Structures are given as C-alpha cells and as structure tokens.
C-alpha cells in the first residue's frame, strides 16, 4: 500500500511533536507500506517569516516572499528525515525543486500543474520514507512559488493523485471535521463522513481545517481523504463522494472574519454601472465575494460588495480611482469589522425554509444581518464581527448539529 500522510504546523511544532510524527510514520512503514510524508512549516513559522519580511520591507516583492516562506517547510522536512533516521529507518527529504513540483508563475498563489514522480518512485523503491515540503512549487522561471496559506493540504492531495496512493491522511490538531470550528462553537460535533461538495463549501467559507483547493482536487481525482488528529488514535472524518440517500439538512456552520465590506454609494441607476465597477475590480485582479445592490433612492443606487482583508487596499484604491470619473459615485464606505457566517448542507436543495430558520435564530440572538447570499447547498450572512460567535452558536443550536 502507498500512503500519503500530511502533518500541519502544530503537529510538527517542536522536537517532541516531530518525534511523535516520526514514530507514526515508522509504524506505517513497518507494516510494509510505502510512506510519503508531506509537512507544513513548524508551528507558526510561516507567520514569523511574514512578520520578518514586513519589518524589513512592507512592500516586499511576492517573489522574495516565496523565497523566504519556502524555508519554513524546508526546515521541517530535513528535521523529520533526521528524526526518522534516528529511529533506524531510512528517510530522505525533498523540496519542490528536487521532486519537481511545477506550478503556474503566480507567486503567493501558484497552482500545481505537474508533478514529476520519477525521483519519488526511485526513493520508495530504495525502501525510504520520502518526506516532501508542502505548500511550495517551482515555476517556469525556476523560482520557488507558494500555493497560498494552508496550501500543504493541496500538495498532499496532488501527490496522492499523481502517485495513485491508496490512502491520503491529513493529520491536524483537531479530531477531524466538525459541525463548526470547535474553537468558535465549543459544542461542535465531529462528523464521521462529509461529501466533497459540502467540505468544499465549508472550506471556501472559512473552515480552515482543509485548504479549499485540496478538496477541489480530491473531488476531481477521486482521492478519498481522512482528516484526523496527530495527537491521538481517534478515527477522524472521511471526505468522499456523497452516496447517501438521505442528505443532511445542514452539515455544518462556517465563520470567516477575513472580510471587508465596501459600499459604493450614490451611483447612477442606469445600465452598465455594475458592469463598469466589477470590470475595474477584475482588471486589478480583485476577487469579489458577496454583492448587494440597493433599490433606487432619488434616482441613485448603492452597490456593496465584500473582499478579503488582503484584497481590500487594492479594491478601495481601484474604486476611489474610478469613483469620480467613470463610476460617478457620491461616496465610498468601508466597513472592516464584519464577518461571514454560513450554513452548508446538501439536503437544503430539497427542503424549503432552511434560510428562514437560520434568520430566525439570528433574530432571536439579536444579531442584525447586513447582507445575504445563497447557493444550492449554502446560505451566507454578513454580520458585525463582534457577533460572530453568538451567531454561529445560535445557528448551531437551531439545527441541533
Ligand atoms: P494544520 O496546521 O494542521 O493545517 P489548521 O490550523 O490549518 O491546521 O486547521 C486546523 C484548525 O481548523 C483547527 O484547529 C480548527 O480551529 C479550525 N477549524 C475551522 N473550522 C473547522 C471545522 N469545521 N472542523 C474542524 N476544525 C476547524
Ligand atoms: N505553512 C503554510 C501556512 O502556514 C502552509 C500550510 O501550513 O499548509 O500557510
Ligand atoms: Mg492547514
């Protein structure tokens, strides 16, 4: 059996944790399996490196940032190889260049294009545990790139797909995928199984337990995932294609505070205004999330939209630049202390009234809704950030998750 095991930052945060992971990998190896280990940087090392960069130059280039960030994963894989070696089992660490893991050019948010499997297979044939850096790749300029925060999950899934692995296990600091972030909703319950589609929505809506692109890739290549704790032997959550007859009405609640709301007020109410606004934003590579257009008042209208905190500066600058000239708006209003709260469930598709129950729970909890958006299997509301926990708990209770 070929097994891919991915361990996140907290699972390799210090010597003891690294030794714990080394033992788990050796156990797997001693059962006669081929073992690929994908690692994140130790603990909060990626944040530490980002702070160092910001301190030296707040406008550091994305290329140099990636050059810096890839050192985090390179440290953890080398130490892991040493720890496994110390247990008497041969191991080798490889970075994205040595593998090679080819990505698109875009630093900081590169997409994996192709993984060479030859070197990996050679090392496995030599009965080595192969330890690979998560999160990083190499682009056509022979530069290091990174896959976006949390991207080590995607490295693991991509390797599992490329190597036709028999299992892909994502080890983290919680027991699996819960009905809500257990740090936000203490009553949250671990799920035994979740479908790709539901997991993808939850991950995209802020459930940081899996990188959303890792779920997308798992679905595309049919890689079944297991999310479980590196600190105990509990069973974890299986992420796979849904084949249940009865779908869960609501399977989870997700929260995301990395949101800024931008309201463009007093726009002319005529065709082409929304087109122009969002064309300008797209031209500046700003990803827009929720959109709300107001009814007309005095011949004018407002359009509000949300973006991530990282994209906010570019979005505001773009709207300001075009605000007086092509957009002709009266005012731009920026609200930073907002957050999204979402419910996800495949059963929503066939049941009316789910959104109404969510809104009632928020009303009972005294939480005002600023904006709403929905899809077939999700409802998202924008609320004041200070109400995030209250809102998530009220909704969690309402659906008895
Ligand atoms: P790792 O370093 O192992 O990749 P992450 O911090 O990226 O770990 O992801 C694990 C964290 O995800 C948990 O500690 C938890 O707070 C958070 N989380 C958010 N939503 C969920 C959820 N629905 N289920 C489980 N964990 C969640
Ligand atoms: N070390 C990277 C991060 O902190 C990638 C990862 O952990 O998945 O975002
Ligand atoms: Mg993670």
């Amino acid at each position: 059996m070929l097994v891919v095991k991915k361990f996140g930052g907290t699972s390799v945060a210090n010597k003891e944790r690294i030794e714990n992971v080394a033992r788990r990998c050796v156990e797997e190896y001693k059962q006669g399996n081929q073992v690929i280990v994908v690692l994140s940087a130790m603990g909060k090392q990626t944040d530490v490196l980002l702070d160092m960069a910001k301190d030296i130059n707040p406008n550091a280039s994305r290329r140099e940032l990636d050059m810096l960030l890839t050192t985090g994963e390179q440290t953890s894989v080398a130490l892991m190889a040493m720890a496994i070696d110390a247990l008497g089992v041969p191991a080798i660490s490889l970075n994205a260049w040595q593998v090679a893991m080819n990505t698109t050019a875009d630093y900081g948010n590169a997409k994996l294009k192709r993984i060479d499997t030859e070197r990996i297979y050679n090392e496995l044939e030599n009965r080595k545990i192969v330890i690979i850096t998560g999160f990083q790749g190499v682009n056509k300029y022979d530069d290091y790139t990174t896959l976006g925060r949390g991207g080590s999950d995607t490295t693991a899934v991509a390797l599992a797909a490329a190597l036709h692995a028999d299992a892909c296990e994502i080890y983290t600091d919680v027991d699996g995928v819960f009905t809500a972030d257990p740090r936000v909703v203490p009553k949250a319950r671990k799920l035994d199984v979740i479908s790709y589609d539901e997991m993808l929505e939850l991950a995209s809506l802020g459930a940081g337990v899996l990188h959303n692109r890792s779920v997308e890739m798992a679905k595309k290549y049919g890689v079944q995932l297991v999310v479980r704790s590196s600190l105990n032997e509990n069973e974890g959550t299986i992420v796979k294609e849904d084949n249940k007859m009865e779908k869960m009405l609501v399977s989870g609640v997700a929260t995301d505070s990395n949101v800024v709301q931008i309201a463009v007020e007093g726009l002319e109410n005529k065709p082409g205004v929304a087109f122009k606004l969002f064309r300008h934003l797209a031209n500046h590579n700003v990803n827009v999330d929720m959109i709300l257009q107001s009814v007309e008042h005095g011949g004018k209208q407002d359009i509000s939209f949300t973006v991530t905190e990282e994209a906010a500066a570019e979005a505001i600058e773009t709207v300001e630049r075009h605000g007086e000239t092509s957009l002709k708006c009266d005012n731009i209003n920026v609200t930073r202390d907002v957050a999204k709260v979402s419910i996800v469930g495949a059963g929503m598709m066939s049941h009316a009234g789910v959104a109404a129950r969510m809104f009632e729970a928020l009303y009972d909890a005294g939480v005002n809704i600023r904006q709403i958006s929905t899809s077939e299997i999700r409802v998202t509301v924008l609320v004041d950030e200070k109400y995030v926990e209250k809102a998530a708990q009220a909704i969690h209770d309402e659906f008895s998750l």
Side-chain angles (χ1 to χ4, degrees):
M1 214 165 87
L2 194 160
V3 183
V4 174
K5 296 167 113 60
K6 179 261 169 179
F7 295 87
T10 37
S11 303
V12 292
N14 53 40
K15 178 172 176 261
E16 287 68 35
R17 295 273 171 93
I18 290 177
E19 287 171 343
N20 164 56
V21 169
R23 272 193 302 275
R24 288 189 87 129
C25 297
V26 165
E27 244 167 64
E28 184 83 60
Y29 175 92
K30 291 201 164 154
Q31 286 169 23
N33 295 323
Q34 297 184 307
V35 184
I36 305 278
V37 184
V38 176
L39 298 184
S40 291
M42 292 169 68
K44 299 247 170 278
Q45 181 62 11
T46 307
D47 294 322
V48 171
L49 292 169
L50 277 172
D51 284 346
M52 284 167 77
K54 214 167 164 190
D55 196 31
I56 288 260
N57 178 355
N59 301 313
S61 78
R62 284 168 164 264
R63 181 196 181 275
E64 297 308 332
L65 280 172
D66 279 0
M67 191 69 183
L68 180 71
L69 293 188
T70 47
T71 64
E73 271 66 16
Q74 191 155 327
T75 304
S76 54
V77 292
L79 290 172
M80 186 61 68
M82 296 173 200
I84 292 176
D85 186 52
L87 295 174
V89 169
I92 183 165
S93 63
L94 298 174
N95 69 12
W97 176 262
Q98 292 164 316
V99 167
M101 305 239 210
N102 298 293
T103 68
T104 55
D106 31 339
Y107 304 100
N109 194 27
K111 313 275 180 310
L112 280 165
K113 287 200 324 199
R114 194 172 51 83
I115 298 179
D116 286 348
T117 50
E118 196 185 333
R119 174 85 191 259
I120 299 175
Y121 279 128
N122 286 343
E123 303 295 354
L124 288 174
E125 300 243 309
N126 292 331
R127 281 304 282 150
K128 287 190 185 157
I129 293 183
V130 184
I131 308 150
I132 300 175
T133 47
F135 180 53
Q136 57 179 252
V138 179
N139 70 12
K140 63 181 175 191
Y141 307 114
D142 287 350
D143 281 342
Y144 282 112
T145 53
T146 61
L147 309 183
R149 296 304 306 268
S152 296
D153 300 327
T154 301
T155 308
V157 175
L159 281 164
L163 299 165
H164 307 289
D166 300 288
C168 184
E169 302 163 352
I170 309 288
Y171 289 85
T172 183
D173 58 357
V174 286
D175 279 3
V177 179
F178 283 64
T179 48
D181 186 340
R183 287 175 220 280
V184 177
V185 181
K187 275 194 267 176
R189 186 175 53 78
K190 197 208 72 165
L191 298 162
D192 294 331
V193 189
I194 187 166
S195 69
Y196 290 128
D197 287 336
E198 288 168 304
M199 189 64 239
L200 186 55
E201 289 277 6
L202 282 177
S204 306
L205 292 164
V209 62
L210 283 177
H211 193 225
N212 61 352
R213 275 173 24 223
S214 73
V215 186
E216 222 165 61
M217 195 174 290
K219 178 179 159 82
K220 185 168 168 197
Y221 294 101
V223 177
Q224 186 167 310
L225 306 179
V226 179
V227 181
R228 55 189 300 195
S229 169
S230 64
L231 303 168
N232 62 44
E233 299 287 336
N234 297 350
E235 255 175 29
T237 303
I238 299 171
V239 186
K240 61 174 195 173
E241 201 59 73
D242 192 11
N243 52 13
K244 268 182 292 171
M245 296 294 286
E246 282 293 327
K247 302 203 187 308
M248 287 282 290
L249 190 59
V250 174
S251 52
V253 179
T255 58
D256 186 356
S257 298
N258 181 11
V259 182
V260 175
Q261 185 186 38
I262 300 171
V264 189
E265 296 169 349
L267 289 157
E268 287 177 285
N269 191 10
K270 64 173 194 192
V273 171
F275 155 66
K276 267 194 231 160
L277 171 61
F278 294 109
R279 168 55 59 206
H280 288 310
L281 290 164
N283 287 345
H284 287 84
N285 282 325
V286 175
N287 261 330
V288 171
D289 186 15
M290 301 171 86
I291 298 175
L292 177 73
Q293 180 170 336
S294 73
V295 292
E296 186 185 285
H297 49 90
K300 299 270 184 143
Q301 60 165 340
D302 312 326
I303 296 180
S304 306
F305 58 91
T306 62
V307 293
T308 61
E309 269 156 27
E310 295 75 41
E314 183 76 41
I316 295 163
E317 207 185 298
T318 303
V319 178
E320 277 174 351
R321 197 171 326 125
H322 300 284
E324 281 181 8
T325 52
S326 80
L327 294 174
K328 300 194 177 60
C329 68
D330 295 337
N331 188 34
I332 300 162
N333 202 346
V334 179
T335 317
R336 291 184 186 274
D337 40 8
V338 288
K340 287 194 298 186
V341 181
S342 309
I343 53 172
V344 171
M348 259 181 234
M349 246 186 281
S350 49
H351 281 81
V354 176
R357 276 177 69 187
M358 177 182 183
F359 303 155
E360 189 180 3
L362 291 170
Y363 165 69
D364 288 340
V367 177
N368 189 39
I369 301 171
R370 290 171 156 265
Q371 218 167 304
I372 300 169
S373 82
T374 62
S375 84
E376 266 189 327
I377 65 164
R378 115 187 123 80
V379 183
T380 300
V381 295
L382 192 71
V383 301
D384 289 345
E385 193 170 356
K386 61 177 187 243
Y387 293 131
V388 146
E389 292 184 8
K390 201 174 174 189
Q393 277 164 21
I395 296 165
H396 198 268
D397 283 346
E398 167 63 31
F399 292 98
S400 316
L401 295 177

